[in-house]
Amino acid sequence: MAPIPELLAKKKARDEAAAKAAVTAAAEAKKAAKAKRSAIFKKAEAYAKEYIAEEKEIIRLKREAKAAGGFYCEPEHKLLFVVRIKGLNKIHPKTKKILQLLRLRQINNGIFLRVSKATMGLLKYVEPYVTFGYPNLKTVRALLYKRGYGKVNGNRIPLTDNSIIEAALGKYGIVCMEDLVHEIYTVGPAFKQASNFLWPFKLIAASGGMHRKRVHYVEGGHAGNRQNYINNLVAKMGC
């Protein structure tokens, strides 16, 4: 048998070492992914238990108040979902600028906002052009899972993988979709970063159409604060 040239022997040894390293790296990556999935499932279970416990506590307090002959006043809402319903015709420059600051540049765009005095002041100024209310957990989850897009290097990227969320928000402890849902719904400490990461939601026109857009919701129109009924509107707009 002819001897193998030195260069070929070195190349063969190098290829074998690289193949072995690749197999080891793949095994470690698979093990790490399995551990991460397990951690994500545990966090999702913990969040579900937290939501259920919160609902049960509210029901308990309502029953106690009713038994005592009083009534239970629920805590103030912390989260808003704002949808733009009107275009730019005959719009004041200041109103246009506020809509741009809120990232509501197109009709049927929607964003999450924290309830605050400053936020409510801005919304009051642009009230004829938007409708808003207090989304529930089902609405928040539907928006993120069905129409959630993230802002990655200035690009609109669909949230199809937890790795996209982890790369952008991992330093805030948000590594998966359920973390993002929890942060938005509870208006957590990293709400600002999570909200800015989300691209404005592009909803479809509401089924059945919108009549009397200029009129406030309480007067039979669609503009302004519709409180919990925002959930019905979002369901009609593709979620």
Side-chain angles (χ1 to χ4, degrees), residues 16-37:
E16 289 177 352
K20 186 177 180 181
V23 171
T24 304
E28 290 178 354
K30 186 177 180 180
K31 185 178 180 181
K34 185 177 180 181
K36 186 180 291 186
R37 282 198 304 272

Side-chain angles (χ1 to χ4, degrees), residues 78-93:
K78 298 185 290 183
L79 179 66
L80 283 171
F81 187 69
V82 187
V83 181
R84 182 167 177 177
I85 58 174
K86 282 188 62 183
L88 290 173
N89 288 344
K90 299 181 181 180
I91 189 172
H92 191 276

Side-chain angles (χ1 to χ4, degrees), residues 20-90:
K20 186 177 180 181
V23 171
T24 304
E28 290 178 354
K30 186 177 180 180
K31 185 178 180 181
K34 185 177 180 181
K36 186 180 291 186
R37 282 198 304 272
S38 178
I40 289 172
F41 286 140
K42 288 180 180 178
K43 291 174 77 172
E45 288 177 356
Y47 292 148
K49 289 179 181 178
E50 178 184 335
Y51 302 142
I52 293 171
E54 184 180 351
E55 290 179 4
K56 288 183 177 180
E57 180 66 12
I58 291 175
I59 292 172
R60 184 186 67 80
L61 292 172
K62 284 183 177 179
R63 287 175 177 171
E64 286 184 358
K66 185 177 180 180
F71 62 91
Y72 172 69
C73 182
E74 294 189 17
E76 293 185 0
H77 295 278
K78 298 185 290 183
L79 179 66
L80 283 171
F81 187 69
V82 187
V83 181
R84 182 167 177 177
I85 58 174
K86 282 188 62 183
L88 290 173
N89 288 344
K90 299 181 181 180

Side-chain angles (χ1 to χ4, degrees), residues 86-232:
K86 282 188 62 183
L88 290 173
N89 288 344
K90 299 181 181 180
I91 189 172
H92 191 276
K94 185 175 179 180
T95 304
K96 182 178 180 180
K97 184 64 176 178
I98 292 174
L99 289 171
Q100 290 176 351
L101 289 174
L102 294 174
R103 301 187 298 158
L104 296 173
R105 296 175 177 270
Q106 297 176 336
I107 295 177
N108 297 332
N109 274 12
I111 58 166
F112 289 113
L113 285 179
R114 186 199 306 263
V115 176
S116 67
K117 185 177 180 180
T119 298
M120 299 309 293
L122 289 176
L123 290 178
K124 188 172 182 63
Y125 201 93
V126 299
E127 198 171 69
Y129 299 88
V130 300
T131 186
F132 55 93
Y134 313 119
N136 56 25
L137 176 62
K138 180 182 177 182
T139 298
V140 173
R141 182 175 278 128
L143 283 166
L144 289 173
Y145 274 97
K146 292 183 179 180
R147 298 195 174 271
Y149 284 77
K151 183 164 55 179
V152 180
N153 298 326
N155 296 319
R156 182 172 179 259
I157 305 298
L159 301 179
T160 55
D161 196 330
N162 288 328
S163 61
I164 300 171
I165 299 172
E166 184 177 7
L169 301 172
K171 56 186 175 182
Y172 304 108
I174 303 172
V175 299
C176 64
M177 183 64 86
E178 282 302 319
D179 282 342
L180 188 58
V181 170
H182 183 265
E183 191 70 23
I184 294 293
Y185 179 65
T186 61
V187 190
F191 173 82
K192 180 180 178 181
Q193 291 80 6
S195 179
N196 288 338
F197 164 71
L198 291 172
W199 200 279
F201 296 93
K202 293 188 176 184
L203 306 176
I204 63 174
S207 60
M210 282 189 178
H211 307 287
R212 305 179 69 193
K213 287 185 180 181
R214 298 182 181 181
V215 182
H216 198 284
Y217 182 74
V218 297
E219 298 174 349
H222 285 280
N225 190 353
R226 58 177 63 211
Q227 299 187 2
N228 295 325
Y229 293 102
I230 190 69
N231 299 299
N232 299 338

